Amino acid sequence: MSFLNQFDSLNKRTFSGEFPSIVSHSQEVLNIISQPSTSTIDNISADKIIKELEINVPESIYFETYESAIQFANKFNFEVVIKISGDKILHKKDLGGVISNIKNESEFKDSIEAIKTKFPNTKIQIQQKVLS
C-alpha cells in the first residue's frame, strides 16, 4: 500500500478524539505525499507532516550558508545534530550521515565540512538536539 493510500485510510478513521483531526492539511503537505513515486520522503517533509498532526518536532533547517547555519546552531548553544537528508536515504546513521555531540562553532564547521565531503550532492539538515 502506498504512503498516500495509507494516509487516506488513516484520514477516514475515527479516533474518538484521541488524535487531532487530520482532515485539513496544507496544500504543501498534500503535494509532498501525493507524488506517484512517493514511497519515502526527506526529513523536513516528514517533519511538516508530523507538525500538521499537531505533534511537536525539533526545530530544523536545511544547510544553505554557514552564516545561517551558525546562527541556527547558536540559538541552541550548538546542541544540534547534523544529518544528511534525502527521500531515498533511510538509514542515515548507518551510512555515517549523522553527527552529534557538537560543542562549539569550530566543531560545527568541521562537522558540516565532513558531511559535505562524504556526501557531496546531498541535502544537509541541522536539527535541534533533544534529550531522550
Side-chain angles (χ1 to χ4, degrees):
M1 181 181 281
S2 77
F3 181 80
L4 184 56
N5 289 339
Q6 290 172 7
F7 184 80
D8 285 341
S9 172
L10 179 66
N11 199 17
K12 291 174 185 166
R13 292 185 206 156
T14 304
F15 290 110
S16 319
E18 280 185 61
F19 298 98
S21 169
I22 57 175
V23 174
S24 62
H25 289 277
S26 71
Q27 189 60 46
E28 182 181 9
V29 171
L30 292 173
N31 288 341
I32 291 167
I33 63 173
S34 64
Q35 299 301 313
S37 62
T38 300
S39 60
T40 60
I41 56 176
D42 65 270
N43 305 354
I44 291 184
S45 296
D47 287 351
K48 287 177 183 177
I49 292 169
I50 294 167
K51 284 179 188 177
E52 285 285 330
L53 296 170
E54 299 176 15
I55 298 170
N56 292 329
V57 295
E59 278 189 57
S60 64
I61 62 168
Y62 276 130
F63 174 81
E64 292 179 10
T65 66
Y66 279 105
E67 183 177 287
S68 64
I70 289 169
Q71 184 177 19
F72 179 83
N74 238 336
K75 181 176 169 180
F76 303 104
N77 297 318
F78 292 94
E79 298 223 2
V80 295
V81 179
I82 299 170
K83 305 175 182 183
I84 56 175
S85 180
D87 61 353
K88 304 290 186 234
I89 303 170
L90 299 179
H91 303 284
K92 296 172 273 305
K93 193 171 185 180
D94 293 347
L95 298 171
V98 177
I99 300 176
S100 58
N101 299 318
I102 300 163
K103 294 173 184 54
N104 55 47
E105 185 174 328
S106 177
E107 285 185 13
F108 179 78
K109 285 182 176 179
D110 291 346
S111 298
I112 291 285
E113 278 305 309
I115 291 281
K116 285 173 67 175
T117 299
K118 189 169 184 177
F119 303 96
N121 298 315
T122 305
K123 291 180 188 176
I124 300 171
Q125 178 188 21
I126 305 163
Q127 185 175 55
Q128 172 190 7
K129 185 177 181 180
V130 293
L131 302 174
S132 53

